[in-house]
Amino acid sequence: MYLFSLILGVVLLPEVYALECHQCFIGGSCRTQECPAGFQCTAMRVTAYAGDDKILDMTMKGCGPQDMCFQGSLNLGISKAAWTTKCCSTDLCNDQPAPDPSRSDPNGKKCFTCDGQQCTKTLKCLGNEDYCISTTGNRIKMPAKGCASQLISTSAGLLLLVMPLISLVLFS
């Protein structure tokens, strides 16, 4: 009798459906996708500036882990890259793009920034830029210093995304 009840319970249990999200790649092609367990729908925007001019605005949608939901920026003085994300946990809820990054006021923190090989100028950090960063590019050996949000300054994966944006601004 117990075996019959177990089999009947398994057969009659409702199926568990994975969260379904929009997945859009850079360039505009979109489809739907099922997210792995523990993931949610995300919309991300990466915006890069040279001075006050917006030179890059990329949007992407898909599935992502909870720690992918953040806002942050990397500010090198002459260039800046900002990330905004919108996360949600109902089917196809990521139909709108992530918002544009908001303009931020100075937060009182100051970091060094570079002008060529000289890195003695100070830069006023903005918004949630609460860390000073320092790096040198691989090929050109050009130093880069500035302000960054915590998640960007501590995540190697995000820095791999940031460095091509920095190179685009500095060397184009």
Side-chain angles (χ1 to χ4, degrees):
M1 183 67 172
Y2 291 109
L3 182 59
F4 177 73
S5 297
L6 179 63
I7 292 171
L8 187 61
V10 169
V11 170
L12 295 177
L13 280 176
E15 282 188 51
V16 176
Y17 291 98
L19 180 64
E20 192 170 313
C21 301
H22 294 283
Q23 180 183 41
C24 300
F25 300 99
I26 299 169
S29 64
C30 295
R31 63 181 184 96
T32 59
Q33 79 175 119
E34 287 187 3
C35 295
F39 278 45
Q40 58 191 353
C41 297
T42 62
M44 177 184 273
R45 171 171 268 147
V46 180
T47 310
Y49 301 87
D52 288 331
D53 297 328
K54 186 187 291 188
I55 60 167
L56 179 69
D57 190 10
M58 296 186 312
T59 60
M60 297 154 276
K61 294 178 184 177
C63 299
Q66 178 65 35
D67 62 358
M68 187 178 192
C69 298
F70 71 95
Q71 293 191 14
S73 60
L74 171 67
N75 183 356
L76 299 176
I78 62 170
S79 64
K80 180 177 178 172
W83 290 261
T84 57
T85 55
K86 183 178 100 174
C87 298
C88 53
S89 56
T90 58
D91 282 337
L92 303 174
C93 59
N94 62 338
D95 56 339
Q96 298 295 314
D100 274 329
S102 58
R103 291 285 179 179
S104 301
D105 293 325
N107 62 20
K109 184 160 185 70
K110 293 181 182 178
C111 298
F112 285 107
T113 188
C114 300
D115 184 9
Q117 295 290 332
Q118 299 298 316
C119 300
T120 56
K121 292 172 63 176
T122 57
L123 175 66
K124 292 180 180 180
C125 299
L126 306 173
N128 64 358
E129 299 168 354
D130 47 3
Y131 283 80
C132 294
I133 60 141
S134 178
T135 186
T136 302
N138 289 340
R139 285 187 184 164
I140 302 175
K141 301 292 184 202
M142 180 72 82
K145 292 186 178 190
C147 304
S149 303
Q150 179 181 6
L151 188 59
I152 292 171
S153 65
T154 58
S155 172
L158 287 173
L159 282 175
L160 290 174
L161 179 63
V162 169
M163 290 316 293
L165 294 173
I166 294 168
S167 299
L168 175 71
V169 172
L170 292 177
F171 307 115
S172 59

